[in-house]
């Protein structure tokens, strides 16, 4: 039947992928032993993303399969990005409503002669 | 070939009348009907609560119930209407019944999952409602932390119920997406899909993407109560605004779960009853998908006064305006479709036209409250209450009533009484507007929502609103009455009473058992190609059924 | 291949599908959709992590050293290995080698159990020093000259709440996965799968890989940085 026509991932490929994943795990642990300052998080995330893409494309067969499934995954990931980004838009700027430090409208009003009524 | 001679008198309703055959059915049509019964009960219960809430507000002070019962009544009304009625109503009832038929499929992709989804929904409703036995639920349907973490245990039943109903919603959405992708009949290309299919497809995308987040939110709320994990509770170092973000990440897209299917219904109704190709087909279709995605970018407009950053408020406000574009595209195209169409004012069409009016009001006021400055003034007033009732009731429910009348003959094999249908539609229209329009006025004058009592100056508007609710109630009960009556005394429905062109009308009424189509149809034209086949209607038989010349062709052998 | 689908109707083909291929593609697509719901479910917790980390980076950097990267790293390798054996299992199913399919499924089960055992020791090790999620959080005790009391700082409780919720829900997914693998292994031992029909193995594999991927991200975020 038709399922016999599915792409069969060769054992050689699978073995190569698991080897890469193992090495990358060691790399990420090793990288974490050094303090790279603000690069700590991006490097850890970059390595994790590379690992995940290997699992997705080869182990899960997304590379060989139906493109619709890749689109589904992409849409899901976009939503995760939306979720994180928009919440950070709030949490990173929390309190800016009442921020009246230098350079704000309030202050410029105070320095302007028209605002002498203060 | 496969044409096992089917007995014409055997259909999906009567092939086996035992209760068991219904409860264990995997037939999407029967599941759709079971959903119809379930959501109707939820709608009835929620509606009665709404009538009681309105009655209480007839005068200031205590009218029929105390403040405590009032808080519980509107909370229960909202929970029932949002989670048990309107979210599952259109996708699960009409999506289940109509979607596979419009695709020319034998069933949805995963029939067992479909049935499971129905029972998960029922279990969710039962869990949520068992809260009533445990204690009081108040504080509204939004479960804002930290109040929801401190109030009595009964809220846990509601949130658990919502969590469970979420699974049902996800499974339904997942099922529909796969069905649209994989189960289309030969020749049914994406640009030949009925617009109802497009809208259900867009809805399903939202269901799949948004619902998991309400799931994790309810889990976190649960853990917060039992372990005090300190994520949302400010007393423990948590941030309550985060809860609102999580809640609205789901619940704003959820309003598109409620309204998108209504768009699809209205497209189909307006196309069918104006005998006119829906203009801007591609734009109407893709605007559904656009709304589905844009809907994810605007949740913060519920939180303008929550203390979220001004930066995010500005961004959310700007993005909220964008929603107006695809929505406007739809409304304009519907109106254009009517132009030079030959319109027949059957009951479903009345609801479609009503929708254009009421939904437009709901949509426009939505843009208004999306404006930052105006929202500060109108936030948590009756203006917002009126706005979302114009969208939810004036949009989804009115369109849903249109759909119910439109597909009723296909679902039950019976015609309802057209005259009663028109009278009821009129009552619903006037009752609805009388109920909710005064709420815009008193809201803009500062009447806060959810309040038990009010100043005497608002009494006139409250009274109008309550009178309206009675008219609306009479209209809705009338519909219930004549629809139930039609099951017994209604005329037998012809296979295509409206002369519609989508696939579900090309087969006998009621539909045969076990398969929707004796042979897989091959589609050779678009869903609204009325201009291509004028002779179909000239040659239509007495009962309105259309000969299959030019219609969907079937394999020769 | 030649026959009409309704004639040579294979046992696994459900009535409403035209072909095995349609059924397989539909099932796989449904699984991918399910997987993105899982991703979004976990994304909620990743959002919490991101927000609280950005609010209190120094606290997160300090208290994450409580988590033992050796245990986390070992578990990472264990899960990766289990993903590998699942992929091998599907490979052998596609080649009609039922014996090797079963071997790989059993290996996957063993890896999954090892993961849980390590997790158990991690959790109990934390509990022993009063590191609980939520209100019960009260770090104490001295191990190898390391005084746990120094972790009793504001928002440390949030870190551990997030840690326990994330790894807890992940562990729940591992447990569910074990249940499904037992079922799949039993079906394989009854010879139900072949190159013509291995959909359940494929779908369970997809689920399992996702569980692995979630851990690939959890490990550095919680243990390393």
């Amino acid at each position: 039947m038709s399922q016999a026509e599915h792409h069969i991932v060769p054992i050689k490929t699978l073995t190569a992928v698991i080897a890469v994943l193992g090495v990358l795990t060691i790399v990420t642990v090793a990288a974490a032993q050094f303090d790279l300052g603000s690069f700590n998080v991006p490097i850890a995330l970059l390595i994790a993303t590379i690992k995940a893409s290997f699992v997705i494309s080869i182990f899960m067969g997304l590379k060989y399969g139906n493109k619709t499934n890749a689109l589904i995954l992409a849409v899901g990931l976009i939503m995760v990005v939306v979720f994180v980004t928009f919440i950070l838009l709030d949490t990173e700027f929390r309190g800016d409503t009442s921020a009246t430090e230098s350079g704000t409208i309030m202050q410029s009003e105070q320095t302007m002669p028209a605002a002498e009524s203060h | 070939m496969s044409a096992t001679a089917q007995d014409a008198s055997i259909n999906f309703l009567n092939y086996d009348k035992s209760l068991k055959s219904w409860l264990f059915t995997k037939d999407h049509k029967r599941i759709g009907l079971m959903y119809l019964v379930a959501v109707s009960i939820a709608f009835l219960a929620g509606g009665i609560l709404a009538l009681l809430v309105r009655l209480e507000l007839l005068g200031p002070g205590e009218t029929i119930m105390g403040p405590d019962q009032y808080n519980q009544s509107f909370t229960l009304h909202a929970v029932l209407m949002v989670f048990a009625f309107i979210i599952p109503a259109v996708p699960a009832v009409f999506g289940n019944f109509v979607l596979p038929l419009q695709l020319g499929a034998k069933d949805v992709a995963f029939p067992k999952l479909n049935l499971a989804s129905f029972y998960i929904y029922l279990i969710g409703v039962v869990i949520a409602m068992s809260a009533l036995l445990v204690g009081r639920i108040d504080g509204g349907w939004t479960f804002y932390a930290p109040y929801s973490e401190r109030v009595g245990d009964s809220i846990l039943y509601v949130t658990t119920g919502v969590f469970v109903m979420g699974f049902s919603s996800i499974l339904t959405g997942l099922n529909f997406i796969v069905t649209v992708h994989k189960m289309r009949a030969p020749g049914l290309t994406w640009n030949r899909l009925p617009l109802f299919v497009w809208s259900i497809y867009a809805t399903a995308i939202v269901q799949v993407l948004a619902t998991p987040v309400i799931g994790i939110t309810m889990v976190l709320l649960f853990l917060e109560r039992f372990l005090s994990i300190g994520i949302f509770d400010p007393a423990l170092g948590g941030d309550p605004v985060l809860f609102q973000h999580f809640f609205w990440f789901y619940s704003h897209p959820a309003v598109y779960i409620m309204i998108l299917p209504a768009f699809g219904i209205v497209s189909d109704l307006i196309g069918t009853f104006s005998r006119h190709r829906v203009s801007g087909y591609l734009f109407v279709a893709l605007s559904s998908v656009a709304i589905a995605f844009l809907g994810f970018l605007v949740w913060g407009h519920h939180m303008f006064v929550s203390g979220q950053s001004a930066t995010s408020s500005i961004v959310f406000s700007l993005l909220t305006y964008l929603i107006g574009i695809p929505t406007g595209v739809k409304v304009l195209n519907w109106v254009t479709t009517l132009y030079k169409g030959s319109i027949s004012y059957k009951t479903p069409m009345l609801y479609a036209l009503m929708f254009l009016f009421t939904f437009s009001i709901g949509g426009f006021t939505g843009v208004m409250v999306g404006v930052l400055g105006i929202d500060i003034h109108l936030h948590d007033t009756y203006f917002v209450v009126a706005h979302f009732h114009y969208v939810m009731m004036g949009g989804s429910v009115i369109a849903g009533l249109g759909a119910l009348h439109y597909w009723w003959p296909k679902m039950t094999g019976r015609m309802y009484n057209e005259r009663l249908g028109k009278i009821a539609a009129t009552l619903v229209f006037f009752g609805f507007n009388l109920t909710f329009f005064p709420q815009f006025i008193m809201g803009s004058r500062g009447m806060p929502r959810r309040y038990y009592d009010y100043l005497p100056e608002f009494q006139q508007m409250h009274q109008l609103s309550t009178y309206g609710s009675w008219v609306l109630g009479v209209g809705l009960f009338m519909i219930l009455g004549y629809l139930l009556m039609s099951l017994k005394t209604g005329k037998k429905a012809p296979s295509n009473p409206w002369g519609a062109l989508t696939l579900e009308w090309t087969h006998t009424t009621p539909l045969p058992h076990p398969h929707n189509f004796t042979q897989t149809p091959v589609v050779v034209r678009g869903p609204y190609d009325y201009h291509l086949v004028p002779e179909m209607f000239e040659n239509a038989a007495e009962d309105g059924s259309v000969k299959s010349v030019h219609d969907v062709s079937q394999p020769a052998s | 291949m030649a026959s009409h689908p309704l004639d040579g109707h294979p046992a696994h083909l459900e009535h409403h599908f035209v072909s095995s291929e349609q059924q397989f593609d539909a099932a796989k697509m449904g699984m991918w959709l399910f997987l993105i719901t899982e991703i979004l479910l976990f994304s909620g917790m990743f959002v919490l992590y991101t927000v609280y980390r950005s609010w209190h980076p120094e606290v997160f950097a300090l208290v994450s050293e409580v988590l033992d990267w050796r245990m986390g790293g070992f578990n990472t390798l264990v899960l990766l290995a289990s993903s590998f054996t699942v992929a091998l299992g599907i490979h052998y199913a596609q080649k009609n080698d039922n014996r090797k399919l079963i071997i790989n499924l059993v290996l996957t089960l063993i890896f999954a159990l090892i993961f849980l055992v390590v997790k158990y020791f991690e959790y109990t090790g934390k509990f022993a020093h009063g590191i609980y999620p939520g209100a019960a959080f009260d770090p104490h005790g001295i191990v190898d000259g390391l005084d746990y009391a120094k972790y009793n700082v504001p928002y440390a409780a949030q870190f551990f709440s997030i840690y326990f919720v994330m790894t807890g829900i992940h562990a729940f997914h591992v447990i569910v996965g074990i249940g499904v693998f037992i079922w799949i292994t039993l079906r394989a031992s009854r010879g139900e799968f072949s190159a013509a029909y291995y959909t359940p193995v494929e779908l369970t594999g997809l689920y399992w890989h996702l569980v692995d991927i979630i851990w690939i991200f959890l490990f550095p975020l919680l243990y390393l940085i």
Side-chain angles (χ1 to χ4, degrees):
Chain A
M1 285 297 296
S2 42
Q3 285 205 6
E5 293 153 24
H6 290 150
H7 184 90
I8 302 180
V9 189
I11 296 213
K12 217 157 87 187
T13 314
L14 294 177
T15 319
V17 170
I18 186 68
V20 171
L21 290 172
V23 170
L24 284 174
T25 307
I26 295 165
V27 170
T28 192
V29 172
Q33 307 309 313
F34 305 100
D35 188 7
L36 303 167
S38 57
F39 288 106
N40 279 333
V41 180
I43 285 182
L45 281 177
L46 179 70
I47 296 173
T49 309
I50 295 172
K51 286 165 76 180
S53 1
F54 271 107
V55 174
I56 289 168
S57 54
I58 313 287
F59 282 178
M60 299 172 91
L62 205 58
K63 188 178 155 198
Y64 316 103
N66 195 320
K67 291 285 169 287
T68 318
N69 293 338
L71 181 68
I72 290 171
L73 177 69
V75 169
L77 293 179
I78 288 170
M79 282 307 140
V80 175
V81 172
V82 166
F83 195 16
V84 177
T85 314
F86 281 71
I87 286 192
L88 286 178
L89 261 184
D90 168 25
T91 57
E92 292 301 294
F93 297 95
R94 190 67 69 75
D96 58 359
T97 321
S98 51
T100 52
E101 293 104 62
S102 59
T104 61
I105 295 169
M106 273 226 189
Q107 204 195 32
S108 56
E109 273 175 359
Q110 278 166 4
T111 53
M112 275 194 299
E116 268 167 13
S117 56
H118 278 274
Chain B
M1 270 198 338
S2 64
T4 43
Q6 284 185 347
D7 184 347
S9 64
I10 300 291
N11 59 52
F12 81 98
L13 290 167
N14 67 6
Y15 76 92
D16 184 347
K17 289 188 170 174
S18 65
L19 183 64
K20 195 176 149 223
S21 75
W22 278 88
L23 295 181
F24 292 98
T25 184
K26 281 178 275 171
D27 180 351
H28 69 95
K29 300 183 290 296
R30 285 191 159 198
I31 293 173
L33 291 183
M34 291 200 291
Y35 265 117
L36 178 62
V37 173
V39 300
S40 300
I41 293 170
F43 184 57
L44 184 67
I48 289 171
L49 284 163
L51 287 173
L52 291 175
V53 165
R54 278 313 325 160
L55 192 57
E56 166 53 37
L57 292 168
L58 189 60
E62 183 167 331
T63 312
I64 56 160
M65 59 174 101
D68 205 39
Q69 286 154 313
Y70 173 81
N71 286 346
Q72 294 182 53
S73 297
F74 80 70
T75 301
L76 196 57
H77 160 73
V79 170
L80 273 171
M81 285 301 199
V82 171
F83 294 109
F85 167 65
I86 203 164
I87 288 181
V90 178
V93 176
F94 301 108
N96 259 316
F97 193 91
V98 179
L99 182 78
L101 292 171
Q102 288 197 333
L103 293 175
K106 285 179 181 164
D107 209 315
V108 293
F110 312 114
K112 272 180 252 170
L113 205 63
N114 202 17
L115 183 66
S117 166
F118 174 70
Y119 283 109
I120 293 170
Y121 159 76
L122 279 192
I123 292 168
V125 175
V126 169
I127 294 175
M129 288 308 115
S130 55
L132 293 173
L133 305 174
V134 181
R136 31 175 297 181
I137 42 164
D138 58 7
W141 68 284
T142 49
F143 320 122
Y144 274 10
Y147 179 74
S148 55
E149 295 166 359
R150 311 226 171 110
V151 73
D153 282 339
S154 52
I155 195 117
L156 284 178
Y157 290 80
V158 184
T159 50
T160 312
V162 168
F163 178 76
V164 174
M165 284 184 250
F167 275 103
S168 162
S169 192
I170 288 176
L171 295 179
T172 302
L174 185 156
N175 215 335
F176 287 173
I177 293 179
V178 178
T179 307
V180 173
H181 271 275
K182 300 290 178 195
M183 309 293 283
R184 301 195 307 275
L188 190 57
T189 51
W190 285 89
N191 57 3
R192 285 177 182 166
L193 289 180
L195 288 162
F196 180 71
V197 172
W198 270 104
S199 73
I200 287 285
Y201 179 69
T203 310
I205 293 174
V206 182
Q207 285 177 302
V208 166
L209 290 173
T211 321
V213 174
I214 195 76
I216 188 67
T217 313
M218 294 298 132
V219 169
L220 289 167
L221 198 64
F222 200 81
L223 292 172
E224 184 101 1
R225 269 189 85 104
F226 282 111
L227 300 173
S228 308
I229 56 173
I231 300 295
F232 300 134
D233 190 344
L236 299 168
D239 182 48
V241 180
L242 273 182
F243 177 86
Q244 299 186 22
H245 279 300
F246 274 57
F247 181 82
W248 288 113
F249 182 86
Y250 165 73
S251 293
H252 190 75
V255 309
Y256 298 104
I257 298 178
M258 307 175 198
I259 195 67
L260 275 170
F263 292 158
I265 292 166
V266 171
S267 303
D268 269 23
L269 292 184
I270 287 187
T272 302
F273 289 98
S274 51
R275 296 281 172 271
H276 201 267
R277 192 180 206 179
V278 176
S279 63
Y281 169 87
L282 196 63
F283 289 96
V284 178
L286 293 180
S287 62
S288 291
V289 182
I291 291 172
F293 284 106
L294 278 176
F296 279 92
L297 309 178
V298 299
W299 79 79
H301 66 216
H302 294 270
M303 300 165 57
F304 286 158
V305 299
S306 68
Q308 73 175 355
S309 75
T311 314
S312 59
S313 288
I314 290 165
V315 172
F316 279 127
S317 177
L318 281 172
L319 289 168
T320 301
Y321 304 155
L322 289 185
I323 297 274
I325 297 172
T327 317
V329 164
K330 279 179 186 298
V331 174
L332 291 178
N333 275 303
W334 289 326
V335 175
T336 320
T337 308
L338 293 172
Y339 179 67
K340 289 201 174 168
S342 64
I343 302 170
S344 60
Y345 295 98
K346 290 282 182 358
T347 311
M349 185 57 166
L350 290 185
Y351 284 106
L353 296 173
M354 216 186 283
F355 174 94
L356 284 184
F357 182 79
T358 48
F359 174 75
S360 295
I361 294 179
F364 282 129
T365 52
V367 179
M368 284 170 71
V369 289
V371 180
L372 265 174
I374 297 179
D375 184 73
I376 306 288
H377 176 66
L378 294 175
H379 192 88
D380 272 353
T381 67
Y382 265 68
F383 192 91
V384 175
V385 175
H387 154 66
F388 70 72
H389 278 94
Y390 263 86
V391 177
M392 302 292 87
M393 174 114 200
S396 312
V397 176
I398 298 270
L401 288 172
L404 187 62
H405 287 85
Y406 180 61
W407 281 304
W408 186 258
K410 207 67 196 172
M411 289 174 149
T412 62
R414 301 286 184 165
M415 296 300 289
Y416 54 87
N417 185 318
E418 182 69 28
R419 179 193 296 268
L420 289 176
K422 282 180 176 155
I423 295 172
T426 315
L427 286 174
V428 166
F429 180 72
F430 286 105
F432 170 78
N433 283 294
L434 187 57
T435 309
F436 293 106
F437 205 81
Q439 300 189 359
F440 278 126
I441 299 169
M442 60 180 156
S444 64
R445 292 177 184 169
M447 173 70 210
R449 72 192 276 201
R450 292 179 176 171
Y451 274 34
Y452 168 68
D453 206 352
Y454 52 80
L455 298 171
E457 67 202 70
F458 293 119
Q459 187 172 8
Q460 200 183 10
M461 290 294 160
H462 271 300
Q463 278 175 341
L464 281 178
S465 184
T466 303
Y467 299 151
S469 74
W470 296 343
V471 180
L472 182 56
V474 169
L476 291 171
F477 274 111
M478 208 173 133
I479 296 173
L480 180 69
Y482 69 70
L483 284 184
L484 289 179
M485 224 163 62
S486 78
L487 293 178
K488 275 213 169 302
T489 62
K491 272 195 313 193
K492 282 220 174 348
S495 62
N496 190 358
W498 321 120
L501 290 188
T502 43
L503 283 181
E504 77 272 29
W505 300 107
T506 60
H507 218 301
T508 51
T509 293
L511 291 149
H513 176 81
H515 295 317
N516 294 336
F517 299 92
T518 35
Q519 284 175 321
T520 306
V522 177
V523 182
V524 293
R525 52 149 179 81
Y528 312 106
D529 283 353
Y530 294 97
H531 62 295
L532 290 181
V533 282
E535 63 268 36
M536 281 172 62
F537 299 99
E538 283 160 23
N539 301 335
E542 285 277 301
D543 63 352
S545 71
V546 173
K547 297 202 180 71
S548 61
V549 200
H550 291 292
D551 202 19
V552 178
S553 67
Q554 305 205 331
S557 60
Chain C
M1 282 308 299
S3 67
H4 187 277
L6 288 171
D7 299 332
H9 199 97
H12 61 262
L13 182 60
E14 292 178 63
H15 77 92
H16 59 291
F17 287 112
V18 176
S19 66
S20 292
E21 193 57 33
Q22 186 192 25
Q23 181 172 336
F24 178 77
D25 280 353
K28 204 166 163 180
M29 187 177 174
M31 194 64 200
W32 273 102
L33 285 165
F34 175 72
L35 293 188
I36 62 166
T37 70
E38 291 281 14
I39 291 174
L40 278 150
L41 182 94
F42 276 97
S43 77
M45 290 172 281
F46 281 105
V47 165
L48 289 182
Y49 175 89
T50 312
V51 168
Y52 279 97
R53 188 184 174 93
S54 79
W55 275 341
H56 312 290
E58 65 300 331
V59 178
F60 272 49
L62 171 75
V63 297
S64 69
E65 58 188 48
V66 176
L67 302 178
D68 188 344
W69 65 263
R70 283 160 300 196
M71 283 179 145
F74 176 74
N75 256 352
T76 310
L77 294 174
V78 167
L79 269 194
L80 287 173
S82 72
S83 262
F84 176 60
T85 52
V86 170
L88 280 180
I90 292 167
H91 174 93
Y92 289 118
Q94 287 172 317
K95 288 194 166 169
N96 272 326
D97 190 337
N98 202 43
R99 198 179 65 88
K100 283 186 178 159
L101 165 65
I102 294 171
I103 291 174
N104 277 294
L105 288 174
V106 171
L107 279 176
T108 310
L109 266 172
I110 292 172
F111 285 131
L113 287 169
I114 293 175
F115 178 88
L116 283 183
V117 170
V118 174
K119 207 78 235 151
Y120 169 80
F121 283 111
E122 274 196 272
Y123 275 10
T124 48
K126 302 287 167 293
F127 294 157
H129 292 286
I131 293 177
Y132 290 104
F137 180 71
D138 174 30
H140 58 77
I142 297 170
V143 185
D144 301 335
L146 176 74
D147 187 359
Y148 271 72
K150 80 167 178 170
Y151 299 116
N152 200 357
V153 292
Y155 302 109
Q158 264 77 13
F159 175 84
F160 287 105
S161 291
I162 292 169
Y163 163 77
F164 279 112
V165 173
M166 282 181 128
T167 56
I169 293 181
H170 180 264
F172 173 76
H173 280 81
V174 174
I175 293 168
V176 171
I178 289 176
V180 180
F181 271 120
I182 291 175
W183 178 59
I184 293 291
T185 313
L186 288 177
R187 288 184 68 179
S189 68
R190 289 198 297 262
E192 286 187 26
F193 303 126
S194 64
Y197 176 68
Y198 61 94
T199 314
V201 189
E202 172 87 17
L203 299 190
T204 318
L206 287 176
Y207 168 82
W208 192 251
H209 293 309
L210 185 85
V211 172
D212 184 21
I213 288 169
I214 300 285
W215 185 261
I216 286 177
F217 282 94
L218 285 183
F219 169 57
L221 289 179
L222 292 169
Y223 290 77
L224 295 179
I225 53 178

